[in-house]
């Protein structure tokens, strides 16, 4: 299979142009992307892989439509991670749907020399490139000066200084993109930055005969990577392999020589165009790092920050949660007053509104969690966390980069599992994937909040700390501890000869962009509402049907028996309605399902109603609360209060509360450990390319959850 030749001109006007943002990790690329696209962006996946693709559709001033794509961060076209391999696979294949018409190369002007390796490689592919020097605001603060005209002349590209954080000169960057598109001039072949040495030049020429190639350097990349390039046919791979063997091509030696040669060429260019004052040698960043990354103080500061995060989740969310609760209460009243009594009214009130309201009330807590994590990322703190915990992580069979996945897991296990692609060592990456779901994610927040609120009093400890917040933190710490212990066990079981190393760039501390933080929170909350909302909406309807109807005439028999019992006991109208609701849900399809699994979960302190919630929440953990809200809403419409109030009123036949301390803590422990998320299972399957590991992960987490829950219930009861 031959892939198409890189276009020699751009004379044919296209309806939509693809502009790729490419650059090193920590260059501020995503920040510039946010400035260019704002809310006109969406997240998807690159074809065939689970790597995130951010796409922003923008209409420029000249009316031209442009797709801006935020490519994963990469250091060079010789990949050491999945992120870098994605960049290589796309740029080496001009027939790829994401192949760019133009590259916006984003480089940190404060670390320009380090960021030019990939730039020169991209340029040598024959792609049109605009170089955006980012973080100019930081450079000005540090007294760093740069000569864009000098750089532009020597690098033979247009150079635009910008600030992704403040938005400075972003309109100029857009204008330059617009100018490129409007010109439609033939693209002249520019002099290559790196001239291929004799052997490489010969190999590239021979490969170009077999495979259409846009440039000699492009042909050389095929020689380096043909075995891993998915778009090449087996026939083409064999031809390239034959050429490489005939010429005794040594890929690693060639890569090292090329890298050193490129640095020899562009280092003097940077030296002549960028002036860094000597005083920045001991910058504020260095001074802060002496404390933040200190062997003893560093981890303590990290733990303190995490404690503050979880305190904030409870302390700041009260009022907005009350407002959302009031909003759903108002909607319930509107439906009650406008829709006649019957199955439609019951479905809307007891099914859909109860299910959605039970979960969407936790949006403030989820938003606060994402806000604080995004803030730490923006400041530059998370890179320090990776560096600090690398040696500790290695003892558990993990990697410094694993800490990013584990911390991200506090938001959602799905992107956290995806973030492991930056870990080059397969064993460490696999172990990180297997244990990351043990970190309590935002989907567990609704479950934790309801159950903690039921049995833990809202009192202050030492006059400062909220006891509920401390228990909340304790559940997170329990997940972290068992994630590390599980990793250690997997380290002993799994065998690998791969060596491990950590390569990470420490960005300078910088003032966070609230625009970017806000965009991150908006995207994450929107995803939660849309994705969780769809699942909860469907499950609420299914649950309502299962809980409102039963096999044969069992529902009517249950109603008759309940009325008879109520008459004998001389119960009032409210108590009678409650008794009828209780008997009917027990006779329903949902009741039969719960009763079927009750013998298995009874030793954990769970009844059949909790059993229903356990089954439905396998779709997603947050469905637990929606399920309980639906179950406890079906029946007496006069009964008011939040889902927590309804659960607190639930009594066993002997008159004791269903949700005692023992039951609530048992349920909490179950949700700390259980793999209650089908989406995560699917992502693990895609990342590991086999069902073996997700099945092992599901089984070990379920057994851990059952045993942990059993021990806690038996001890507390």
């Amino acid at each position: 299979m031959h892939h198409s030749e890189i276009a020699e001109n751009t004379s044919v006007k296209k309806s939509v142009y693809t502009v790729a943002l490419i650059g090193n990790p920590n260059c501020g690329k995503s920040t510039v992307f946010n400035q260019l696209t704002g809310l006109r962006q969406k997240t998807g996946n690159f074809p065939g892989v689970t790597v995130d693709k951010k796409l922003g559709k923008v209409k420029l001033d000249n009316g031209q439509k442009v797709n801006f794509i935020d490519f994963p961060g990469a250091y060079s076209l010789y990949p050491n991670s999945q992120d870098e391999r994605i960049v290589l696979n796309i740029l080496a294949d001009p027939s790829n749907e994401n192949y760019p018409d133009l590259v916006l190369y984003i480089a940190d002007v404060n670390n320009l020399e380090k960021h030019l390796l990939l730039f020169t490689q991209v340029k040598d592919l024959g792609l049109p490139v605009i170089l955006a020097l980012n973080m100019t605001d930081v450079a000005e603060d540090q007294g760093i000066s740069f000569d864009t005209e000098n750089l532009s002349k020597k690098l033979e590209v247009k150079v635009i200084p910008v600030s992704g954080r403040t938005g400075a000169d972003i309109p100029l960057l857009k204008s330059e993109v617009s100018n490129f598109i409007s010109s439609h001039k033939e693209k002249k072949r520019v002099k290559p930055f790196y001239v291929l040495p004799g052997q490489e030049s010969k190999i590239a020429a021979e490969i170009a005969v077999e495979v259409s190639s846009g440039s000699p350097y492009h042909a050389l990349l095929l020689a380096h990577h043909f075995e891993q390039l998915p778009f090449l046919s087996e026939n083409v791979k064999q031809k390239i392999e034959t050429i490489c063997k005939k010429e005794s091509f040594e890929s690693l030696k060639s890569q090292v020589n090329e890298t050193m040669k490129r640095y020899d060429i562009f280092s003097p260019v940077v030296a002549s165009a960028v002036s860094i004052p000597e005083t920045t040698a001991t910058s504020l960043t260095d001074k802060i790092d002496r404390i933040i990354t200190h062997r003893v103080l560093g981890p303590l500061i990290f733990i303190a920050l995490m404690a503050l995060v979880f305190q904030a989740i409870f302390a700041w969310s009260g009022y907005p949660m009350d407002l959302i609760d009031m909003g759903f209460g108002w909607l319930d009243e509107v439906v009650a007053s406008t829709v006649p009594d019957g199955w439609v009214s019951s479905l809307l009130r007891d099914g859909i509104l109860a299910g959605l309201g039970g979960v969407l009330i936790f949006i403030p807590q989820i938003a606060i969690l994402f806000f604080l994590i995004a803030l730490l990322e923006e400041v530059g703190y998370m890179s320090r966390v990776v560096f600090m915990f690398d040696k500790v992580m290695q003892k558990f069979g993990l990697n410094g980069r694993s800490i990013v996945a584990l911390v991200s897991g506090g938001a959602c296990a799905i992107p956290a599992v995806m973030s492991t692609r930056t870990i080059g060592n397969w064993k460490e990456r696999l172990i990180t994937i297997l244990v990351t779901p043990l970190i309590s994610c935002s989907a567990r927040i609704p479950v934790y909040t309801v159950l903690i609120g039921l049995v833990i009093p809202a009192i202050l400890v030492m006059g400062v700390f909220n006891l509920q917040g401390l228990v909340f933190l304790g559940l997170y710490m329990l997940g972290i501890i068992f994630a590390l212990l599980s990793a250690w066990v997997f380290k002993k079981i799994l065998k690998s000869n791969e060596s491990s190393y950590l390569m990470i760039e420490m960005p300078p501390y910088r003032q966070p962009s609230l625009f970017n933080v806000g965009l991150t929170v908006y995207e994450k909350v929107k995803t939660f509402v849309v994705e969780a909302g769809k699942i909860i909406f469907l499950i609420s309807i299914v649950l309502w049907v299962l809980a409102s109807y039963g096999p044969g005439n069992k529902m009517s028999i249950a109603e008759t028996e309940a009325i008879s019992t109520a008459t004998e006991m001389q119960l009032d109208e409210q108590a009678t309605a409650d008794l009828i609701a209780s008997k009917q849900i027990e006779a329903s399809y949902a009741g039969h399902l719960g009763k079927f699994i009750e013998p298995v979960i009874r030793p954990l302190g769970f009844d059949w109603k909790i059993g229903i919630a356990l089954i439905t929440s396998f779709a997603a953990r947050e469905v637990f609360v929606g399920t309980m809200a639906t179950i406890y809403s079906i029946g007496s419409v006069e009964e008011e209060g939040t889902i927590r109030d309804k659960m607190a009123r639930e009594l066993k036949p002997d008159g004791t509360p269903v949700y005692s301390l023992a039951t609530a803590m048992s349920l909490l422990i179950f949700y700390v450990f259980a793999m209650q998320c089908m989406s995560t299972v699917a992502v693990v399957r895609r990342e590991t390319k086999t069902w073996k590991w997700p099945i092992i992960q599901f089984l070990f987490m379920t057994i851990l959850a059952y045993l942990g829950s059993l021990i806690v219930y038996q001890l507390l009861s």
Side-chain angles (χ1 to χ4, degrees):
M1 178 183 74
H2 288 216
H3 58 287
S4 62
E5 190 172 341
I6 294 178
E8 283 298 316
N9 64 74
T10 55
S11 58
V12 180
K13 186 173 175 65
K14 300 173 68 172
S15 59
V16 181
Y17 278 79
T18 299
V19 178
L21 275 75
I22 293 176
N24 288 189
N26 294 317
C27 69
K29 178 170 50 62
S30 295
T31 309
V32 174
F33 175 81
N34 288 340
Q35 290 285 358
L36 288 167
T37 61
L39 295 176
R40 301 179 298 272
Q41 58 177 263
K42 63 179 182 178
T43 302
N45 295 126
F46 287 104
V49 291
T50 53
V51 175
D52 273 353
K53 174 177 74 175
K54 274 196 167 185
L55 177 71
K57 296 188 176 182
V58 177
K59 197 171 186 178
L60 299 176
D61 293 339
N62 63 358
Q64 178 64 52
K65 293 176 183 176
V66 173
N67 281 344
F68 287 103
I69 300 181
D70 185 8
F71 273 51
Y75 290 106
S76 79
L77 293 179
Y78 300 120
N80 286 310
S81 69
Q82 270 198 307
D83 274 3
E84 291 185 310
R85 185 155 294 284
I86 290 298
V87 176
L88 168 71
N89 288 351
I90 293 171
L91 296 187
D93 177 17
S95 64
N96 191 290
E97 65 180 67
N98 296 298
Y99 191 81
D101 300 295
L102 172 68
V103 170
L104 286 186
Y105 191 87
I106 315 299
D108 179 359
V109 70
N110 307 286
N111 294 291
L112 188 57
E113 188 176 344
K114 295 177 185 175
H115 290 222
L116 286 187
L117 174 61
L118 179 60
F119 163 79
T120 60
Q121 291 175 326
V122 170
K123 188 169 177 290
D124 280 350
L125 287 175
L127 280 160
V129 182
I130 295 172
L131 176 59
L133 299 180
N134 194 23
M135 303 188 190
T136 53
D137 55 322
V138 176
E140 287 171 14
D141 291 342
Q142 295 183 353
I144 297 173
S145 60
F146 44 90
D147 184 345
T148 52
E149 285 188 20
N150 187 352
L151 274 174
S152 180
K153 183 179 177 182
K154 291 184 177 177
L155 297 176
E156 296 182 309
V157 293
K158 193 73 178 178
V159 179
I160 309 290
V162 299
S163 170
R165 192 181 66 80
T166 65
D169 290 320
I170 293 295
L172 184 61
L173 191 59
K174 276 188 181 179
S175 176
E176 199 55 46
V177 173
S178 188
N179 291 341
F180 165 79
I181 291 170
S182 300
S183 63
H184 304 301
K185 293 177 181 176
E186 285 196 5
K187 190 179 68 181
K188 296 177 181 177
R189 177 75 69 195
V190 295
K191 185 180 71 174
F193 195 88
Y194 169 68
V195 180
L196 301 189
Q199 187 197 37
E200 281 91 334
S201 179
K202 186 179 179 184
I203 290 170
E206 289 185 43
I207 289 174
V209 172
E210 301 294 343
V211 186
S212 295
S213 179
S215 70
Y217 184 63
H218 177 252
L220 183 65
L221 278 183
L222 299 184
H224 282 297
H225 305 299
F226 69 90
E227 290 176 337
Q228 286 86 33
L229 293 173
F231 60 87
L232 293 177
S233 68
E234 288 304 315
N235 182 41
V236 169
K237 287 181 180 180
Q238 285 173 8
K239 288 179 179 179
I240 295 174
E241 184 178 21
T242 301
I243 292 168
C244 291
K245 282 183 177 177
K246 185 185 73 174
E247 299 295 338
S248 302
F249 179 57
E250 296 180 56
S251 179
L252 183 59
K253 183 180 177 182
S254 173
Q255 290 178 33
V256 172
N257 289 338
E258 178 198 323
T259 302
M260 292 174 69
K261 181 65 175 174
R262 287 185 185 275
Y263 268 94
D264 286 343
I265 300 170
F266 61 65
S267 291
V269 174
V270 175
S272 67
V274 180
S275 175
I276 303 174
E278 291 183 17
T279 52
T280 58
T282 53
S283 63
L284 180 62
T285 290
D286 296 326
K287 292 173 184 174
I288 295 173
D289 274 346
R290 287 173 191 162
I291 300 169
I292 293 291
T293 61
H294 189 272
R295 284 176 60 188
V296 178
L297 289 177
L300 291 176
I301 290 169
F302 174 71
I303 292 168
L305 278 172
M306 292 299 103
L308 285 173
V309 166
F310 298 121
Q311 286 291 314
I313 286 170
F314 269 88
W316 298 352
S317 62
Y319 290 117
M321 287 177 76
D322 290 342
L323 286 173
I324 293 171
D325 191 39
M326 287 166 58
F328 272 95
W330 175 79
L331 280 173
D332 186 68
E333 289 175 10
V334 169
V335 172
S337 61
T338 55
V339 181
D341 281 347
W343 72 267
V344 175
S345 175
S346 176
L347 171 62
L348 289 173
R349 297 182 65 195
D350 304 333
I352 295 169
L353 285 179
L356 288 176
V359 174
L360 299 188
I361 191 173
F362 300 101
I363 285 175
Q365 292 184 324
I366 289 161
I368 290 166
L369 177 64
F370 281 120
F371 171 77
L372 294 173
I373 287 178
L375 210 57
L376 292 174
E377 187 73 53
E378 273 275 313
V379 169
Y381 177 68
M382 293 312 296
S383 296
R384 273 75 188 176
V385 174
V386 171
F387 167 74
M388 274 193 300
F389 287 95
D390 183 50
K391 286 187 178 177
V392 175
M393 293 289 109
Q394 299 246 356
K395 291 177 182 176
F396 291 97
L398 301 170
N399 180 288
R401 294 186 188 278
S402 301
I403 200 76
V404 174
L406 298 181
V407 172
S408 300
C412 179
I414 294 167
V417 167
M418 290 181 189
S419 73
T420 62
R421 60 184 180 260
T422 60
I423 301 171
N425 183 295
W426 168 244
K427 178 181 174 181
E428 292 173 346
R429 180 167 180 248
L430 177 60
I431 293 173
T432 307
I433 288 171
L434 292 175
V435 304
T436 292
L438 283 168
I439 304 298
S440 292
C441 63
S442 58
R444 288 175 170 104
I445 289 177
V447 185
Y448 289 178
T449 305
V450 165
L451 295 172
I452 289 172
L454 272 174
V455 295
I456 305 297
I459 59 174
L460 291 179
V461 177
M462 295 185 290
V464 179
F465 299 106
N466 182 307
L467 181 59
Q468 292 179 336
L470 289 176
V471 173
F472 196 89
L473 176 62
L475 293 172
Y476 268 78
M477 293 306 296
L478 188 64
I480 292 166
I481 290 165
F482 271 84
L484 294 176
L485 289 175
S486 301
W488 183 81
V489 172
F490 281 123
K491 177 189 175 183
K492 298 297 181 185
I493 295 171
L494 299 173
K495 304 298 178 186
S496 172
N497 295 322
E498 284 184 89
S499 57
S500 176
Y501 64 92
L502 176 72
M503 184 176 73
I504 187 168
E505 182 181 336
M506 297 280 215
Y509 290 106
R510 47 183 174 256
Q511 186 179 337
S513 164
L514 292 180
F515 173 74
N516 291 317
V517 172
L519 260 181
T520 300
V521 174
Y522 169 78
E523 282 292 323
K524 300 295 186 185
V525 171
K526 187 177 94 171
T527 301
F528 171 78
V529 171
V530 173
E531 296 304 318
K534 282 190 292 190
I535 295 170
I536 294 158
F537 179 79
L538 290 171
I539 286 180
S540 295
I541 293 173
V542 171
L543 265 178
W544 176 83
V545 172
L546 291 175
S548 299
Y549 300 95
N553 61 346
K554 289 191 176 181
M555 294 287 279
S556 57
I557 292 172
E559 183 179 8
T560 304
E561 288 178 354
I563 292 171
S564 175
T565 303
T567 304
E568 288 176 18
M569 298 175 66
Q570 297 182 333
L571 299 178
D572 60 24
E573 189 178 342
Q574 174 66 49
T576 301
D578 288 343
L579 183 62
I580 292 170
S582 175
K583 292 291 184 184
Q584 283 195 322
I585 198 166
E586 195 168 347
S588 69
Y589 289 113
H592 282 74
L593 185 65
K595 294 279 187 182
F596 178 73
I597 69 164
E598 192 175 30
V600 179
I601 61 174
R602 195 181 294 119
L604 312 182
F606 305 160
D607 65 6
W608 58 271
K609 289 185 180 180
I610 296 173
I612 297 169
L614 291 180
I615 291 171
T616 57
S617 63
F618 270 100
R621 296 178 185 94
E622 60 269 37
V623 174
F624 170 85
V625 179
T627 300
M628 302 313 282
T630 301
I631 289 172
Y632 292 130
S633 294
I634 291 170
S636 174
V637 294
E638 288 81 11
E639 188 176 290
E640 295 179 352
T642 64
I643 174 59
R644 189 184 298 159
D645 297 332
K646 293 173 183 177
M647 289 168 72
R649 287 196 290 263
E650 189 73 3
L651 300 175
K652 294 178 183 177
D654 62 4
T656 58
V658 168
Y659 294 94
S660 62
L661 176 64
T663 299
M665 292 308 295
S666 171
L667 200 47
L668 281 169
I669 295 301
F670 186 88
Y671 273 94
V672 167
F673 295 136
M675 180 64 155
Q676 299 282 95
C677 184
M678 291 298 101
S679 299
T680 303
V681 172
V683 167
V684 173
R685 159 68 181 84
R686 289 204 301 269
E687 289 289 334
T688 59
K689 297 182 174 61
T690 174
W691 277 110
K692 173 185 173 182
W693 296 113
I695 290 170
I696 289 172
Q697 183 182 45
F698 182 84
L699 289 174
F700 106 80
M701 288 182 67
T702 303
I703 292 167
L704 191 60
Y706 191 91
L707 292 177
S709 190
L710 179 67
I711 291 166
V712 166
Y713 181 73
Q714 298 302 326
L715 286 175
L716 292 178
S717 61

